[in-house]
Amino acid sequence: MGLDQRIGAAFLRVGLRVDKADRQVQAIAHPSLVQFVTRVALAVPFWKSGILKWAGVFKLSDTAVTLFTDEFMLHLPGGPYHFPVPMVMAFLSGCGEIMLPVLLVLGLGTRFAALGLLFMTLVVELTVPDGWPIHLTWAAMAFGIMAWGPGRISVDHWLEGISEAMRLGDVWRLR
């Protein structure tokens, strides 16, 4: 066996090992698991922020109202500017930060929940411009969820299966 053949055989062995390792990594990072983890990762910071805005059922905390009245500013050209109707903005923010993460984790209306959190991320970026590195990761997760959907570990996937079975008249599939 010549030198060229030995070098070729060595590259082939290395290539086969790399392919095997690649398949093992893919088995660990199953797409549905990745989609679920991404949904949870995007939901957590918004949920944690939303919990702090409430003092009871449909009762905003005084801190939330104060933040939107006195602290938070929109950093737009010619600004910064105060938020318009701070009480309404605090209420909408608090509702979105509770409802959208729940929908996202459940995988119900997932793409719309991700779109809502993307919009909230843009508003947060206008409010806290120095936080752009973390806001960029939130936006990337939201875009990924919007593009590739919730995955199999979701209510949306389950409802899609029921809808497809009903469309095809496949009663056995519904059981």
Side-chain angles (χ1 to χ4, degrees), residues 6-48:
R6 285 187 295 214
I7 291 173
F11 275 114
L12 179 62
R13 284 192 301 273
V14 169
L16 291 173
R17 287 185 181 144
V18 169
D19 285 344
K20 182 179 179 183
D22 187 53
R23 285 191 305 275
Q24 290 172 337
V25 170
Q26 283 180 331
I28 293 168
H30 192 274
S32 289
L33 177 62
V34 172
Q35 288 166 303
F36 176 70
V37 170
T38 303
R39 291 188 345 246
V40 171
L42 180 57
V44 166
F46 287 94
W47 172 265
K48 289 174 77 172

Side-chain angles (χ1 to χ4, degrees), residues 111 150-151 154-166 173:
R111 284 185 164 106
S154 67
V155 174
D156 284 346
H157 181 75
W158 180 72
L159 291 174
E160 186 177 299
I162 290 175
S163 175
E164 181 69 14
M166 290 176 68
R173 191 169 170 191

Side-chain angles (χ1 to χ4, degrees), residues 21-111:
D22 187 53
R23 285 191 305 275
Q24 290 172 337
V25 170
Q26 283 180 331
I28 293 168
H30 192 274
S32 289
L33 177 62
V34 172
Q35 288 166 303
F36 176 70
V37 170
T38 303
R39 291 188 345 246
V40 171
L42 180 57
V44 166
F46 287 94
W47 172 265
K48 289 174 77 172
S49 176
I51 286 296
L52 298 175
K53 287 187 174 67
W54 296 100
V57 178
F58 296 115
K59 183 177 181 340
L60 284 171
S61 69
D62 294 336
T63 306
V65 176
T66 301
L67 285 172
F68 279 90
T69 304
D70 301 330
E71 297 292 324
F72 290 165
M73 304 285 276
L74 290 170
H75 296 271
L76 297 169
Y81 302 102
H82 287 282
F83 269 88
V85 283
M87 186 76 148
V88 173
M89 295 303 288
F91 181 79
L92 291 176
S93 173
C95 288
E97 287 176 332
I98 294 297
M99 292 186 327
L100 295 173
V102 169
L103 291 172
L104 206 59
V105 169
L106 292 175
L108 179 61
T110 309
R111 284 185 164 106

